[in-house]
Amino acid sequence: MSQYKARILLLEDDASLGLLLSEELALDGYSVSRAGTVNEACGMLRAETPDLVVSDLRLPDGDGLELLKAAQAEGLSLPFIIITAFGTVDQAVDALQAGADDFLTKPLSTDHLRLKIKRLLTQADLTKQLQQFLANSNADESLGLIGDHESMARLRSEIRQIARSEAAVLICGESGTGKELVARAIHRVSERSSKPFVAVNCAGIPAELMESEFFGHEAGAFTGARQARKGLFAEAHGGTLLLDEIGEMPLALQAKLLRVLQEGMVKPVGSDQEEPVDVRILAATHVDLQKAVSEGSFREDLYYRLETLSLRIPALRERGDDVDLLAMHFLREAARRHQRGFLKLSEVSSRTLMDYPFPGNVRELASAIERAVTFCEGDTIQPDHLPERIRKRQGATVSSQAPLSADRISKWPTLDTLQQDYVSEVMKAVGGNKRRAAQILGINRRTLYRWLAADESGPEAGDDTDVVSSGVKVTKGGVQ
């Protein structure tokens, strides 16, 4: 199956400039349609919706903003870049207020234009994916769990399978991975969805009050118990009870929980009678319960009762490009809470987030985006808006070379060799994901492809010349 080519509509009345730009964008893998007038571009817009528009401002029959208004009238929300040789601050403000995403002046750096296009298409693609996930969540397709990584697809499949059962479930994952979200997803697609979902953090209840909280108590059962109270099991009757951080539950209460799982009966504190309850138990933990069993802090029989059906939630650092998708989701939510307009991540900010391991997982990412939105005064999140621990982190240095010695200087590798070895290590680390590798290396994908081709074909393969080389300016008069 051929790879999808993003479609770009280029509106430029200068034929030579239009040809140069279309050839340059075609080299980046885009499908480019060219128009010389607003009327011609409007016809192309209606015939086949592009993924992005690049338009000159001054044209023989109008200006580029007319094309932008035509797209908006059609209900299209397209990334739109305005370019002009007569740029002023007022024109830029007018264009951005009209809905353009960027305003560039000539002479035009093609590298700058290509980076803008790449960023806007990436943002648009992530927005589409996010909208699809949010729409699908209403149909229980995504289960409210945002993520496109294969580990998340597998997790959603396991949730649907487990939801058909009535057995207890153990949900494992690091802090901040979303264990309660998974528990709610299980409840939502189960036959108990119309009944209560009750969540309790076992680490947040004093040990002496746990039994009363879980099973309830009779009036006068202990000092301060002036009236009878239902416990959490009774509150969740017919539905689902999530016991978060179950590893913090005292051993004495673990034994009583095991009896509930086996018999379906609870006995309130101070009562002589057991009461039947119909509750599905979901337990969550970030600790190694097997280790806790070996240390004697968790009952072995309870562990095996819970472990029969278990789910593992992947850490955020294992989920690849899901970081981008989640960042867009949290950015959208935070912008709405702060009553801000459309906000976007800069290319550098996106790469900074992708390079950070997020020990606090999804919760830490959400907090980082919340902070960024709070401190961002413009419409673009920059690295300075992110927490210091994220923007200051330096990537680990990849080095497989033996220590260099002055007395073996003839054995020192060339820069080309070091570059090839480093690129190879990065490609291995990201599983061949060229987009991710290019982000880590700080280069565009076109440069990465050239480096990889040179590595495969030998030194001669790197001698090809770009149509428009890096840093070259393109003007209406040609190339300078």
Side-chain angles (χ1 to χ4, degrees):
M1 182 181 293
S2 61
Q3 187 176 7
Y4 173 76
K5 290 185 177 182
R7 298 184 300 273
I8 296 177
L9 174 57
L10 174 62
L11 174 53
E12 173 58 61
D13 62 319
D14 185 299
S16 61
L17 177 59
L19 178 61
L20 285 170
L21 291 179
S22 62
E23 288 181 347
E24 178 71 6
L25 296 176
L27 285 174
D28 275 348
Y30 301 121
S31 174
V32 183
S33 300
R34 290 170 52 199
T37 65
V38 174
N39 186 54
E40 183 183 4
C42 287
M44 291 182 174
L45 190 69
R46 286 189 290 268
E48 185 176 19
T49 304
D51 297 296
L52 179 141
V53 176
V54 178
S55 174
D56 199 354
L57 185 61
R58 295 189 179 182
L59 294 154
D61 59 339
D63 64 52
L65 293 182
E66 294 180 34
L67 179 61
L68 174 58
K69 292 175 183 176
Q72 293 171 339
E74 294 288 333
L76 303 176
S77 179
L78 303 173
F80 207 101
I81 299 175
I82 292 288
I83 57 176
T84 181
F86 311 98
T88 66
V89 173
D90 288 341
Q91 284 179 321
V93 170
D94 290 343
L96 295 174
Q97 287 181 340
D101 293 277
D102 226 318
F103 186 92
L104 305 179
T105 57
K106 302 174 184 178
L108 186 67
S109 164
T110 56
D111 278 348
H112 190 198
L113 175 63
R114 287 164 50 224
L115 284 173
K116 292 287 186 183
I117 289 173
K118 175 184 176 183
R119 178 177 61 79
L120 289 173
L121 285 175
T122 299
Q123 294 283 347
D125 182 57
L126 288 170
T127 299
K128 288 179 183 177
Q129 291 183 50
L130 181 57
Q131 290 172 343
Q132 290 172 355
F133 272 109
L134 293 176
N136 289 340
S137 67
N138 295 330
D140 287 331
E141 290 297 323
S142 74
L143 306 178
L145 303 174
I146 295 173
D148 201 23
H149 192 266
E150 60 180 11
S151 62
M152 293 302 292
R154 183 169 56 250
L155 178 62
R156 285 190 285 266
S157 175
E158 292 173 346
I159 287 173
R160 293 187 184 94
Q161 292 174 316
I162 282 177
R164 296 195 293 263
S165 170
E166 285 292 306
V169 182
L170 179 62
I171 304 171
C172 303
E174 297 178 8
S175 293
T177 50
K179 293 185 287 294
E180 183 171 336
L181 282 177
V182 169
R184 289 184 181 276
I186 293 173
H187 174 74
R188 188 165 61 250
V189 295
S190 73
E191 294 184 356
R192 295 175 177 266
S193 58
S194 62
K195 299 298 182 178
F197 174 89
V198 178
V200 57
N201 187 339
C202 297
I205 302 176
E208 63 273 14
L209 297 179
M210 269 195 177
E211 185 175 358
S212 171
E213 284 294 313
F214 282 109
F215 306 129
H217 61 256
E218 296 292 334
F222 51 84
T223 303
R226 297 178 180 176
Q227 56 185 13
R229 180 185 181 279
K230 294 195 304 181
L232 294 171
F233 276 87
E235 290 180 16
H237 183 73
T240 305
L241 176 63
L242 169 64
L243 305 178
D244 199 6
E245 300 302 345
I246 194 171
E248 303 296 326
M249 182 178 285
L251 283 169
L253 195 60
Q254 290 178 30
K256 295 183 178 181
L257 173 60
L258 181 62
R259 176 167 174 76
V260 175
L261 290 172
Q262 291 173 338
E263 307 295 337
M265 304 289 288
V266 298
K267 185 164 70 171
V269 176
S271 174
D272 295 329
Q273 301 294 323
E274 290 187 325
E275 302 174 357
V277 289
D278 174 21
V279 174
R280 186 179 191 185
I281 300 296
L282 307 181
T285 183
H286 74 281
V287 302
D288 185 345
L289 289 187
Q290 273 191 310
K291 183 179 179 181
V293 169
S294 64
E295 293 173 348
S297 59
F298 200 83
R299 289 181 64 100
E300 184 177 30
D301 46 6
L302 177 58
Y303 170 72
Y304 286 121
R305 184 66 183 253
L306 295 173
E307 189 265 345
T308 303
L309 292 181
S310 61
L311 290 172
R312 177 188 174 273
I313 307 177
L316 185 54
R317 62 182 173 275
E318 302 171 3
R319 294 173 53 182
D321 290 348
D322 278 1
V323 173
D324 262 344
L325 195 62
L326 285 162
M328 287 290 294
H329 169 68
F330 293 134
L331 187 59
R332 172 176 171 165
E333 293 296 308
R336 184 168 66 243
R337 286 194 301 273
H338 289 260
Q339 297 183 332
R340 301 284 298 273
F342 176 75
L343 295 178
K344 53 185 178 291
L345 290 167
S346 70
E347 182 75 17
V348 179
S349 295
S350 178
R351 188 168 67 240
T352 300
L353 291 173
M354 292 287 288
D355 288 342
Y356 184 70
F358 284 101
N361 292 291
V362 179
R363 185 186 296 127
E364 184 182 7
L365 173 60
S367 297
I369 296 297
E370 183 73 24
R371 181 195 189 279
V373 171
T374 301
F375 285 95
C376 177
E377 296 182 351
D379 65 351
T380 304
I381 302 296
Q382 301 293 352
D384 286 348
H385 302 138
L386 298 170
E388 184 176 6
R389 67 182 181 279
I390 294 178
R391 66 175 185 265
K392 294 290 186 181
R393 181 182 182 272
Q394 295 182 352
T397 301
V398 178
S399 176
S400 58
Q401 302 291 334
L404 300 178
S405 171
D407 58 1
R408 300 185 62 194
I409 196 168
S410 62
K411 302 294 185 182
W412 287 17
T414 65
L415 286 175
D416 283 342
T417 299
L418 287 174
Q419 175 180 289
Q420 291 172 3
D421 289 346
Y422 182 62
V423 171
S424 177
E425 290 295 329
V426 171
M427 288 294 291
K428 289 178 183 176
V430 299
N433 186 327
K434 293 184 177 65
R435 174 174 176 269
R436 180 80 176 97
Q439 286 181 326
I440 293 173
L441 293 167
I443 59 176
N444 58 59
R445 272 183 281 181
R446 184 175 174 220
T447 301
L448 177 60
Y449 294 148
R450 189 167 64 248
W451 287 2
L452 293 173
D455 191 16
E456 293 174 359
S457 305
E460 300 82 3
D463 294 337
D464 60 321
T465 303
D466 296 337
V467 175
V468 183
S469 62
S470 175
V472 171
K473 303 287 186 179
V474 180
T475 69
K476 286 217 171 188
V479 181
Q480 64 176 17

